[in-house]
Amino acid sequence: MFKSVFRSTNSLSTIARQQFQLNGYCTSTGGFQYILSEKKGKVGIVTLNRPKALNALSDGLIGEINTAVRQFQDDKDVGSIVITGSEKAFAAGADIKEMAPKTLSEAYNTNMLAQWHDLTKMSKPIIAAVNGYALGGGCELAMMCDIIIAGEKAVFGQPEIKLGTIPGCGGTQRLIRAIGKSKAMELVLTGNNLTAVEAEKAGLVSRVVPVEELLPEAIKTAEKIASYSQLTVAMAKEAVNASYELTLAEGIRFERRLFHATFGTHDQKEGMSAFVEKRNPTWHNQ
Ligand code: CAA
């Protein structure tokens, strides 16, 4: 079976250690500097691992997240992905020290932050498991994922206003869709934070769990998703995400067409036959 090739070192975050102890069935992948990337069965796990900077999202860290997530996207055996951080910080935002000296022309010419959106191009579901600070770009990174599960000490916010700038990676756009205009506006204009419980009440996170149960719970949810047909899961994700972009009538039509399309798949025939025959389905992802 899977044997861990993942060595415990001083640089590992508490959560990464818990993760390691949690299963003993993880295989580490890639030689990354700022993240840990592992597979547990059908779940790809990316752990942000820049503890001294509270996982501040430098270009290097974002590049590694994109690479690891792309590897899982291309891995036929992986059905879903979890992104997490440490107990203290999911991510405390974009790397302020790296960003501070940039000029307008540099920012514009390099289309600064554009590469962050790579995450939203994946068809496999991504769960953000958030403990501690998810501020600025950290909150935006979590919102780019499909589901956010929070540990009870998680803190969400867009404090960019305090730095003389504004959210630059979807904060002003995704937050309003998640929690509505008044709450989003208050967070963006005051720089105030939301606690995990407030974030759940506002609809930003799907649920709040005890700190030490966060990663196991996120993995459990990811495993459940990964146990279904990858093809059908991708269609369901595409249909839900379409609601961000389309009018209600267009969205309903898009959903119906995708629903019709499932009838051309092996897995719809298998799923419905298995129900009628009172057996478990075997998915072929086709
Ligand atoms: N960028 C770079 N370094 C950061 C950082 C960030 N976003 N957040 C924390 N760090 C560093 C600190 O500089 C400190 O490093 P040193 O030990 O070298 O001084 C280390 O991480 C620990 O941080 P603190 O000592 O500040 O820890 P704390 O527990 O006292 O406070 C905190 C924690 C409230 C999260 C505080 O660190 C903080 O306010 N961080 C900045 C949060 C922020 O403003 N985020 C938005 C960034 S801009 C952005 O994200 C734009 C965008 O839309 C993409």
Side-chain angles (χ1 to χ4, degrees), residues 42-246:
K42 292 179 175 178
V43 178
I45 305 165
V46 177
T47 306
L48 279 55
N49 188 32
R50 209 188 156 206
K52 285 189 185 148
L54 303 185
N55 293 331
L57 298 160
S58 58
D59 284 346
L61 177 46
I62 287 291
E64 289 191 1
I65 294 171
N66 284 340
T67 303
V69 168
R70 171 56 65 190
Q71 284 171 354
F72 290 138
Q73 172 67 34
D74 294 342
D75 185 335
K76 284 203 308 289
D77 298 331
V78 169
S80 59
I81 299 161
V82 172
I83 299 183
T84 194
S86 71
E87 214 170 293
K88 176 147 188 194
F90 176 72
D95 189 322
I96 299 168
K97 293 166 192 167
E98 189 178 80
M99 263 186 323
K102 287 200 194 290
T103 62
L104 187 157
S105 58
E106 262 181 283
Y108 194 89
N109 283 334
T110 59
N111 204 4
M112 188 169 114
L113 302 188
Q115 80 278 23
W116 287 40
H117 292 276
D118 282 6
L119 216 58
T120 62
K121 295 176 191 148
M122 306 300 144
S123 64
K124 292 181 183 173
I126 305 177
I127 298 176
V130 177
N131 262 327
Y133 296 111
L135 299 179
C139 187
E140 291 167 311
L141 181 70
M143 288 193 288
M144 276 184 242
C145 298
D146 301 300
I147 299 171
I148 305 176
I149 303 178
E152 57 200 353
K153 294 199 179 132
V155 175
F156 298 86
Q158 299 289 159
E160 289 87 345
I161 200 83
K162 299 179 190 169
L163 300 169
T165 185
I166 69 167
C169 216
T172 62
Q173 305 303 300
R174 290 199 175 91
L175 200 55
I176 193 169
R177 286 162 167 83
I179 68 175
K181 181 187 166 193
S182 192
K183 280 189 196 310
M185 197 64 98
E186 186 172 340
L187 287 197
V188 170
L189 297 185
T190 63
N192 290 345
N193 294 333
L194 288 182
T195 64
V197 170
E198 288 167 341
E200 186 190 25
K201 201 169 148 220
L204 180 61
V205 312
S206 66
R207 63 202 153 94
V208 180
V209 299
V211 170
E212 62 287 354
E213 285 171 30
L214 175 68
L215 194 59
E217 276 299 320
I219 292 173
K220 206 159 98 188
T221 305
E223 280 170 342
K224 185 162 191 182
I225 293 168
S227 74
Y228 299 121
S229 159
Q230 284 184 24
L231 181 63
T232 319
V233 164
M235 286 181 172
K237 170 171 167 168
E238 192 181 357
V240 173
N241 277 337
S243 70
Y244 268 137
E245 314 291 344
L246 303 178

Side-chain angles (χ1 to χ4, degrees), residues 22-34:
L22 171 79
N23 44 61
Y25 295 104
C26 282
T27 49
S28 68
T29 58
F32 294 108
Q33 193 179 347
Y34 305 115

